[in-house]
Amino acid sequence: MEYARDDLPVLVVGAGPTGLTAALELSRLGIAVRIVDAALEPSTTSRALGVQARTLELLRPRGVGDELVALGNRASRTALHAAGHRLASIEFTGMPSQFDYILLLAQSETERVLAEQLGRQGVKVERGIRFTTLTERCDSVAVVLTARDGATETVDASYVIAADGSHSPIRKHLGLPFTGRSLPQQYVLGDVRLHGDLAEDQLSIFLATRGFLAVFPLGDKRFRLMATDPDGLTGDRDEPTLDDVQALFDRAVGRPVRLCELDWSSRFRINSRHLETLRHGRVFFGGDSAHVHSPAGGQGMNAGIQDMVNLSWKLAMVLRGTARPELLDTYESDRLPVIRQLVAMTERATRVFNSTNLLAHAVLTRVAPLVLASARVQGKAAPRLGQLSASYRRAPLASGGGRLGGLRAGDRVPDAELAGGGRLYDLLDTAAPTLLVSGPTPDEARRIANAVGPWADVVGVRTVDLPAAVAAPPGWLLVRPDGYLAAAGPSGDVRRLHGWLERWLTTPA
């Protein structure tokens, strides 16, 4: 039996977006948490830029989504160009979300917003502290931390969340294989101000016979440029110069555009790797410590944030004693298939865009307009990029969960606008599942509510007129705190509801 130590804090190692989200969620849910980071100061560089629709849907009811939106720049499409012509685009405005765009915001700003909210919840990042070693016990983890001055401390933690980056010391200490490959292409990044005619409301990708260049608008004529440099046009400087970035821009874009005010530049290669397990005893992995991949589509930071939203409510319920310990295993069974798909998708996209084969380039520039002209392709591509289409249907937590209308257990429940005002996610308890009852007779409603039975103090019941975009009443939806469907059924099917609650939650004494 796995014992839960709710008298010990959860230790989060790493204060990037993944670790900050974990600490934010756990502290908000009343769980004691410590978060440490080896860096003395927060990062000031932009790094990851894209905040996807699904991430914003999850962060809005958690108190930070609106602030991020106010700070960022919205991109309504990704446009492909070649040889001076626009070939095609993927339009985001048709995505089934309130946030029908990609929000472009420097990672340093996203981290600042998360850290400030974390501070308002009474938790401060402890900086200049690095992980040294850990020892797992039956009901806790002993972690040795080392401060900047060499002083060591042994922390007893109920669980550890490894959000310590792609070179994760915790992952290496435990000897976990990080399977995958290093891709051969070299990339150049640069944050610049741009003078010329280039759209500020879209991502622009310029395909050339010598690789590609992507342009991400940050607002106020500031842009992030990312380019391949297959033949070493810019040499091997770790920090390419403004002239280097201009040369790559001119070669790929071919427009009279002048770059200036280089704020930051870098050179990197891509690793495409992931863990085969997201859990080692009482240690959980998320974000770059668990998966790294191409930046194609701006997926990485968002995946890490969503990892932690998935994990935190489960961990909090187990620590509070309201859920069975087996619920923690569903973090891996939910997220690992999504991660595998994400790594494979970004690697395929990278191979296509990076190709310097003349025939492959010619085929791509001719086929892309035809493929992206399809409404069916548009309908799938944008939600996938916005991470709205990720589903846990085949995961154990959705097994036997049923369906209502087009929604099946494991699906994302749309954060639809409600007829009386507000949005569906505003009805959800972000600490435990919420039962939404829609359209039954009074007797049916009572029978559904009674099925909650001994879990009435844990599971909130809400009566709501579900929009047609969500599900067709009469019936019920048991919605997880992360907005995914746990179980569902028509009004007469309450045994399925009772069965899910009995399988995953504890029965009060």
Side-chain angles (χ1 to χ4, degrees), residues 43-354:
S43 171
T44 58
T45 55
S46 56
R47 293 180 291 163
L49 291 177
V51 186
Q52 302 292 355
R54 183 57 183 154
T55 300
L56 291 171
E57 285 186 343
L58 292 170
L59 293 182
R60 182 190 66 80
R62 288 161 172 84
V64 293
D66 291 342
E67 185 175 358
L68 293 176
V69 170
L71 291 169
N73 187 50
R74 304 180 188 188
S76 57
R77 68 187 63 83
T78 292
L80 300 179
H81 304 260
H85 301 287
R86 176 168 165 164
L87 300 177
S89 63
I90 298 174
E91 300 291 333
F92 303 135
T93 52
M95 285 195 299
S97 173
Q98 173 190 8
F99 305 104
D100 54 350
Y101 48 82
I102 292 181
L103 185 74
L104 296 170
L105 183 65
Q107 181 177 325
S108 56
E109 282 292 277
T110 300
E111 291 180 5
R112 179 185 63 79
V113 171
L114 292 171
E116 288 179 356
Q117 178 62 29
L118 181 61
R120 287 190 285 270
Q121 294 173 190
V123 179
K124 183 179 179 180
V125 178
E126 301 173 44
R127 294 197 167 274
I129 298 177
R130 60 181 174 85
F131 165 84
T132 303
T133 186
L134 65 79
T135 302
E136 293 192 68
R137 300 167 177 158
C138 64
D139 62 352
S140 65
V141 188
V143 184
V144 178
L145 302 175
T146 303
R148 188 77 170 182
D149 62 4
T152 61
E153 174 192 7
T154 299
V155 176
D156 285 326
S158 56
Y159 293 92
V160 173
I161 294 177
D164 51 346
S166 58
H167 300 289
S168 172
I170 297 178
R171 186 186 68 231
K172 292 177 180 179
H173 171 75
L174 294 174
L176 300 178
F178 207 31
T179 58
R181 70 199 76 189
S182 297
L183 303 185
Q185 294 85 5
Q186 185 182 94
Y187 292 81
V188 169
L189 294 177
D191 284 0
V192 300
R193 191 172 295 277
L194 184 152
H195 292 283
D197 182 22
L198 206 62
E200 291 195 73
D201 64 346
Q202 69 179 32
L203 309 182
S204 300
I205 298 177
F206 296 89
L207 306 174
T209 55
R210 303 302 298 166
F212 78 99
L213 181 137
V215 182
F216 304 84
L218 300 175
D220 192 29
K221 293 294 182 180
R222 294 180 302 111
F223 292 81
R224 155 73 63 82
L225 307 184
M226 180 178 73
T228 50
D229 188 11
D231 48 9
L233 178 67
T234 62
D236 59 359
R237 285 179 288 271
D238 290 339
E239 297 181 0
T241 66
L242 181 62
D243 288 342
D244 292 334
V245 180
Q246 182 79 62
L248 291 174
F249 184 94
D250 292 342
R251 182 169 70 177
V253 179
R255 293 187 188 180
V257 171
R258 182 170 62 87
L259 310 182
C260 63
E261 298 179 28
L262 178 66
D263 296 328
W264 171 77
S265 69
S266 179
R267 191 184 302 275
F268 73 100
R269 294 182 187 275
I270 291 173
N271 278 292
S272 186
R273 303 177 184 277
H274 65 83
L275 284 171
E276 292 296 343
T277 179
L278 301 182
R279 182 183 187 186
H280 186 282
R282 287 181 165 266
V283 181
F284 295 93
F285 292 85
D288 287 354
S289 73
H291 46 85
V292 294
H293 44 79
S294 165
Q299 305 290 292
M301 179 181 71
N302 297 271
I305 290 172
Q306 291 172 42
D307 287 345
M308 294 301 100
V309 175
N310 183 292
L311 172 63
S312 294
W313 69 267
K314 299 171 180 177
L315 193 52
M317 289 192 73
V318 169
L319 284 169
R320 289 197 304 266
T322 56
R324 300 182 186 279
E326 292 81 8
L327 184 65
L328 296 180
D329 293 330
T330 70
Y331 167 59
E332 178 176 304
S333 57
D334 274 355
R335 294 300 295 168
L336 194 53
V338 173
I339 289 165
R340 286 174 176 147
Q341 184 181 56
L342 185 61
V343 170
M345 179 186 76
T346 55
E347 192 170 321
R348 285 195 302 269
T350 300
R351 284 201 302 268
V352 170
F353 288 140
N354 281 352

